[in-house]
Amino acid sequence: MLTERRATILGLVVREYVQTAEPVSSKALVDRRGLDVSSATVRNEMARLEDEGYITHPHTSAGRIPSDLGYRTYVQSLMAEEPVGAEEQRTITHQLHQVGGGLEDWLSLTATILAGAVGNVAVVTRPRTVTAGRLRHLQLVELNADTALLVAVMDDGRLRQRLVPLRTPATQAELQERAARLNARLAAADGPGARALAADLVDVDDASTARAAAELIEEHRGAEETYLDGLSRALRQPEFADPDRMLDAVARLQTYRLRTLLEGAADALPGETRVVIGSEMAADEMQDWSVVIARYGDPESAGTVAVVGPTRMAYERTIPRVRYIASLMGQLLRDMR
Amino acid sequence: MLTERRATILGLVVREYVQTAEPVSSKALVDRRGLDVSSATVRNEMARLEDEGYITHPHTSAGRIPSDLGYRTYVQSLMAEEPVGAEEQRTITHQLHQVGGGLEDWLSLTATILAGAVGNVAVVTRPRTVTAGRLRHLQLVELNADTALLVAVMDDGRLRQRLVPLRTPATQAELQERAARLNARLAAADGPGARALAADLVDVDDASTARAAAELIEEHRGAEETYLDGLSRALRQPEFADPDRMLDAVARLQTYRLRTLLEGAADALPGETRVVIGSEMAADEMQDWSVVIARYGDPESAGTVAVVGPTRMAYERTIPRVRYIASLMGQLLRDMR
DNA sequence: GTTAGCACTCTCGCCCCGAGAGTGCTAACA
DNA sequence: TGTTAGCACTCTCGGGGCGAGAGTGCTAAC
């Protein structure tokens, strides 16, 4: 059982260790954290905490470091979140409004801001519809006599393009008509649907364009856009002082590897913030890592914001900041519509 | 003066050092590279090479390593390029045809392939027109009663999008007409041109859409798409064994920092391959790095392929591979049109 | 001009060792 | 029974010393 005093000590151990990255000694807690018991008492309590699995020992004559259970308990019941202050909120919103451009620039900027705010790697994904991506609109643009550019606007607002060769040359006006014909037929089609409808078309160019559209829709389904920043800052943390570990971290944080990590939280609701700590991670080669993750957007079209770092993470800072950024993005997304 | 024998020795020093990453001793050259003189003679020649600035000494009792001048001489006149063999060509083209999707996937795959082929970081940029980006086509897609999606197709085939609020609601058909009106006016406009023409429009929504188009065109001018891969493999090289150096490399190879590096070669012609070695680099914090860089495409629309790595680089492998990939991309780009 | 020989230099890995930090335990105390 | 002082014990860490090994530069002979 975790008595109140032991809980206090556990909390202090976590805080101290997160701050200093050095094993925490009983003496350090008494001296620097103002516990009004002697270090011997703290030692006794620490021994109990160790028995119960909340903290561990790197070696006999070293201080204690939190175990994953220790962090979990801390996050769950001991920690007081450090709210995002008015000043910081201003800075963040100000930075967010710096960018004039499209959604991509905005997402990439968000990753940068979040990474800066928490000092770890931040990952942001573009909002996606949960349903299979459907077509919203097609457009054909004349490039030259025998090629046109097919542009598909998807229901989540993303664009896909492809060059389509034309059997018979067509003017822009004719292309426009073809696009109108296809839009009428393929409205809100998904991949297989579009493919089926394409088969019915008699005109060769209509049919090949419809097939190209079907391919675009299918490609779009699988494609996820991920924005990542903060790698080089995160690597400055002492856990990566060893070059092997650093190399490992770089390889691990390649965006395509993070996908699976983030997909695990796809079922979270907007507003909910999840924390996955060390051994709780599905991938067992990520035992030394933690993720704080939140979804933003509507249930129909949602994206992910996450912070990835070593288990020794300032959870009380990270969690509210991930939550804040996620809510901000949800809001901005709604404003856009 | 670089006598023939000294040139041979310099060449062997470069090759040996590139291979082993260890300072090269006179004995090693005689034993492992089959020089038919004694190590003492090699030592004498090495001393001369050092006087002339082609090689250096880390410390008294260590072997020699090439200086930047040594590498430069090697690349310029001593090296025999290692051609891309038929088998390797097949592998590369095969990999390149793996991807079905759009240009982005294709560029990103190219970076991966090149990085794999040379074991260093590879960077690929999307082809851009040298002239200021001009508009090819506008399209409006209805999203809801008071918002439309404006899609601009630029003359280099890239797309830009933006949401435009509508003063008066419009059907898709009406939006189509508006797009046609604007296309007629803004055909091939650049940013300022579009802005000027927008001012003449009387209809509020026409005008605001035209202004949005002008913004899209201006954004597009500055935007460059860069694809990078091979970081974690490159970091395995012994020059990054020290965590500080590794960290430095990670920070340095952030895509946005590479931009300036690559822009230096924007004036190169397709087919030409440039090599910039260590101190020849404009940025003086990149003294330990080399870049092999080539342009691909037409003079009107060209992109960049590059390999970035430590000065100790297998130039005879890297240069022909960068050249090969660049020519391949040029070809594929032409086929696409 | 080439080469054998040799003294000299510098690095690198290893061991050793003492200082320091922390713990666990015991015994005394409230 | 809980708390605390005291102390022995353990483990890490950094520095110094040292010998082996690798290479060079120089000299003298060929």
Side-chain angles (χ1 to χ4, degrees):
Chain A
M1 240 258 355
L2 200 59
T3 64
E4 192 169 339
R5 190 169 67 183
R6 277 206 283 287
T8 312
I9 290 177
L10 174 57
L12 292 177
V13 168
V14 173
R15 270 205 278 289
E16 184 75 11
Y17 183 63
V18 166
Q19 202 184 334
T20 64
E22 309 255 297
V24 182
S25 74
S26 54
K27 191 157 171 301
L29 282 195
V30 175
D31 290 358
R32 305 187 24 195
R33 297 282 166 165
L35 273 178
D36 55 351
V37 288
S38 78
S39 68
T41 308
V42 176
R43 278 202 290 283
N44 286 331
E45 294 290 49
M46 277 176 156
R48 284 293 302 274
L49 283 169
E50 181 158 7
D51 286 345
E52 291 163 359
Y54 295 105
I55 54 182
T56 23
H57 248 168
H59 58 87
T60 333
S61 74
R64 298 312 211 292
I65 62 177
S67 66
D68 291 346
L69 174 63
Y71 284 124
R72 166 55 59 201
T73 312
Y74 180 73
V75 167
Q76 215 93 330
S77 35
L78 305 179
M79 159 187 97
E81 286 190 8
E82 189 179 305
V84 189
E87 180 58 33
E88 195 177 351
Q89 293 198 8
R90 253 197 307 283
T91 316
I92 292 179
T93 34
H94 180 249
Q95 284 178 291
L96 257 183
H97 288 291
Q98 287 301 60
V99 69
L103 189 55
E104 301 84 35
D105 299 334
W106 182 62
L107 292 167
S108 138
L109 179 64
T110 307
T112 307
I113 293 173
L114 180 54
V118 303
N120 259 320
V121 173
V123 189
V124 177
T125 71
R126 182 172 185 136
R128 290 219 304 164
T129 47
V130 220
T131 65
R134 283 167 186 277
L135 184 68
R136 189 189 312 259
H137 193 84
L138 283 179
Q139 172 64 9
L140 282 165
V141 178
E142 178 190 12
L143 289 187
N144 53 46
D146 51 3
T147 327
L149 181 69
L150 172 68
V151 178
V153 181
M154 302 301 300
D155 56 356
D156 58 1
R158 286 167 74 183
L159 304 177
R160 294 244 137 205
Q161 60 184 315
R162 161 155 316 184
L163 295 175
V164 284
L166 300 176
R167 186 69 90 76
T168 48
T171 64
Q172 180 63 45
E174 287 164 340
L175 291 175
Q176 204 105 343
E177 282 168 31
R178 167 167 300 138
R181 277 199 301 280
L182 292 173
N183 274 319
R185 279 201 153 240
L186 302 181
D190 60 5
R195 202 167 284 283
L197 288 165
D200 298 344
L201 292 167
V202 276
D203 180 282
V204 188
D205 283 323
D206 276 18
S208 76
T209 308
R211 276 197 302 278
E215 282 170 28
L216 286 184
I217 298 170
E218 279 160 4
E219 273 170 34
H220 177 262
R221 277 206 58 173
E224 174 129 41
E225 271 175 43
T226 313
Y227 299 84
L228 181 145
D229 202 2
L231 180 57
S232 70
R233 167 153 0 176
L235 290 179
R236 281 198 207 113
Q237 306 202 315
E239 6 274 292
F240 305 115
D242 175 43
D244 284 347
R245 289 190 172 277
M246 194 185 290
L247 193 51
D248 188 65
V250 173
R252 196 137 285 163
L253 293 177
Q254 301 293 58
T255 43
Y256 65 89
R257 303 220 174 185
L258 287 172
R259 302 257 159 93
T260 40
L261 202 65
L262 301 185
E263 272 161 18
D267 58 327
L269 296 173
E272 183 188 349
T273 309
R274 289 209 187 158
V275 185
V276 188
I277 299 168
S279 50
E280 301 166 5
M281 205 82 81
D284 48 340
E285 74 277 6
M286 292 285 284
Q287 297 292 310
D288 301 334
W289 295 81
S290 285
V291 190
V292 177
I293 197 166
R295 302 274 290 169
Y296 69 95
D298 312 319
E300 311 94 61
S301 168
T304 304
V305 187
V307 167
V308 186
T311 48
R312 183 185 67 80
M313 180 190 281
Y315 296 97
E316 62 267 57
R317 275 185 61 80
T318 305
I319 294 169
R321 273 147 197 82
V322 168
R323 184 185 298 126
Y324 177 66
I325 294 263
S327 80
L328 214 55
M329 293 179 75
Q331 205 174 301
L332 284 170
L333 217 54
R334 274 190 294 283
D335 289 353
M336 274 192 181
R337 298 223 174 88
Chain B
M1 242 256 359
L2 200 58
T3 64
E4 192 169 338
R5 189 168 68 183
R6 276 206 284 284
T8 312
I9 290 176
L10 173 57
L12 292 177
V13 169
V14 173
R15 271 205 276 288
E16 184 76 11
Y17 182 64
V18 166
Q19 201 184 335
T20 63
E22 309 255 295
V24 182
S25 72
S26 53
K27 192 157 171 302
L29 281 195
V30 175
D31 290 357
R32 304 185 28 195
R33 297 282 167 165
L35 272 179
D36 54 351
V37 288
S38 77
S39 68
T41 308
V42 175
R43 277 202 291 285
N44 286 331
E45 295 290 49
M46 278 175 155
R48 284 293 300 273
L49 283 168
E50 182 158 6
D51 287 345
E52 290 162 0
Y54 294 105
I55 55 183
T56 22
H57 247 169
H59 58 85
T60 333
S61 75
R64 298 312 212 292
I65 61 176
S67 66
D68 290 347
L69 174 62
Y71 284 123
R72 167 53 61 200
T73 311
Y74 180 73
V75 168
Q76 214 92 333
S77 34
L78 305 179
M79 158 187 97
E81 287 191 8
E82 190 179 305
V84 189
E87 181 58 33
E88 196 177 351
Q89 293 198 8
R90 254 198 305 283
T91 315
I92 291 179
T93 34
H94 180 250
Q95 284 178 291
L96 257 184
H97 288 290
Q98 287 301 62
V99 69
L103 189 55
E104 302 82 36
D105 300 334
W106 182 62
L107 292 168
S108 137
L109 179 64
T110 306
T112 307
I113 293 173
L114 181 54
V118 302
N120 260 319
V121 173
V123 188
V124 177
T125 71
R126 182 171 183 137
R128 289 219 305 165
T129 46
V130 219
T131 64
R134 283 167 186 277
L135 183 68
R136 191 191 307 264
H137 193 84
L138 282 179
Q139 172 65 5
L140 283 165
V141 178
E142 178 189 12
L143 289 188
N144 55 44
D146 50 4
T147 326
L149 181 69
L150 173 66
V151 178
V153 181
M154 302 302 298
D155 55 357
D156 58 0
R158 287 168 74 183
L159 305 177
R160 294 246 136 202
Q161 60 185 315
R162 160 155 318 182
L163 295 174
V164 284
L166 300 175
R167 186 68 89 76
T168 50
T171 64
Q172 180 64 47
E174 287 164 340
L175 290 176
Q176 205 106 339
E177 280 167 33
R178 168 168 300 138
R181 275 200 301 280
L182 292 173
N183 274 319
R185 278 202 153 238
L186 301 181
D190 60 5
R195 202 167 282 283
L197 290 165
D200 298 344
L201 293 166
V202 278
D203 180 281
V204 188
D205 282 323
D206 277 17
S208 76
T209 309
R211 273 196 304 278
E215 282 170 27
L216 286 184
I217 298 170
E218 278 158 6
E219 273 169 26
H220 176 262
R221 274 206 60 172
E224 175 130 39
E225 271 176 44
T226 311
Y227 300 85
L228 181 144
D229 202 2
L231 180 57
S232 72
R233 161 139 23 160
L235 290 180
R236 280 196 209 116
Q237 307 203 312
E239 6 274 291
F240 306 115
D242 175 43
D244 283 346
R245 287 188 173 280
M246 195 186 289
L247 192 51
D248 188 66
V250 173
R252 195 138 288 163
L253 293 177
Q254 301 294 57
T255 42
Y256 64 88
R257 301 221 177 188
L258 287 172
R259 301 257 159 94
T260 39
L261 202 64
L262 301 185
E263 272 161 18
D267 57 327
L269 296 172
E272 184 188 347
T273 310
R274 289 209 187 159
V275 184
V276 187
I277 298 169
S279 51
E280 301 167 3
M281 206 84 81
D284 48 340
E285 74 277 6
M286 291 287 281
Q287 297 292 310
D288 301 333
W289 295 81
S290 285
V291 189
V292 177
I293 196 167
R295 302 275 289 169
Y296 69 95
D298 312 319
E300 310 92 61
S301 168
T304 303
V305 186
V307 167
V308 186
T311 47
R312 183 185 67 81
M313 180 190 281
Y315 295 99
E316 62 266 57
R317 276 186 62 80
T318 306
I319 295 169
R321 275 148 195 79
V322 168
R323 184 185 298 126
Y324 177 66
I325 295 261
S327 79
L328 215 55
M329 293 181 77
Q331 204 175 302
L332 284 170
L333 217 54
R334 272 189 296 282
D335 290 354
M336 274 191 177
R337 300 228 172 83

